[in-house]
Amino acid sequence: MSELKIDFRIVGPVQTNCYFVMNPDRKECIVVDPGDEAEKLEGFMIQKDVRPVGILLTHGHFDHIGAVEELKGKYDIEVYANKEEEDTLKDPNVNLSMPMLGNAISIKADNLLSDGQVIELMGEKIKCIHTPGHTVGGMCYYLEDRDCLFSGDTLFQESVGRTDFEGGSMSEIVKSLKEKILTLPDSVKVYTGHGLMTSIEHEKMYNPFVG
């Protein structure tokens, strides 16, 4: 199995983590949540000598989708998101781009995913886990063979995402964590939408929302 490298850049006004899942042997990468600053993200990929093969979106808020159209157009790649997130992606009021930026962002995913669906990108099997709570169509991406999870704004280090926006629910996000995320192996590394990465083991011990 080829070595994978995971790196990130922090972009945009609310410091969003945009991740690059890179296979240096194939000179390819998967981009997770390109929230803003497309030129910065392109520059990183050029520096690492990798070309994106797809964009995974954990949810549709503006700070996770702001650079999607530019990257999609430049590299002719497809966008993946939960089918339940379709309205959030396209509605500038629901995705908060109008109220927070005063600038309408509306995008459409090429591939609408279902809970439990397994997709393959760059030769990697990726399990799509529907985790509502932060938004109705929040989705985490689990690379079981690589022991890692991209949690978006569902799970943070010792915290969870906000639930006071449209489509948010504290009871739903806690249910998502308890039933779908913290049931994963303790060793799984968690790459969060904001802030520091963590692990399933750490969150089971220290996250106050799931105690």
Side-chain angles (χ1 to χ4, degrees), residues 57 60-63 65-70 72 79 85-98 101 103-109:
L57 299 178
H61 282 157
F62 76 96
D63 57 314
I65 66 171
V68 165
E69 286 299 305
E70 197 165 333
K72 176 178 163 58
V79 178
E85 200 71 344
E86 206 170 1
D87 288 342
T88 306
L89 291 168
K90 72 181 181 185
D91 189 329
N93 288 307
V94 181
N95 68 37
L96 307 175
S97 56
M98 275 306 293
L101 294 179
N103 175 34
I105 299 175
S106 178
I107 70 167
K108 183 178 180 183

Side-chain angles (χ1 to χ4, degrees), residues 131-169:
T131 52
H134 180 62
T135 63
V136 292
M139 185 157 265
C140 295
Y141 297 98
Y142 179 38
L143 282 69
E144 183 174 4
D145 293 343
R146 305 294 188 168
D147 223 23
C148 68
L149 178 85
F150 295 90
S151 67
D153 290 3
T154 296
L155 175 62
F156 297 138
Q157 186 188 66
E158 299 178 19
S159 188
V160 297
R162 289 176 62 166
T163 58
D164 55 332
F165 297 128
E166 184 171 340
S169 164

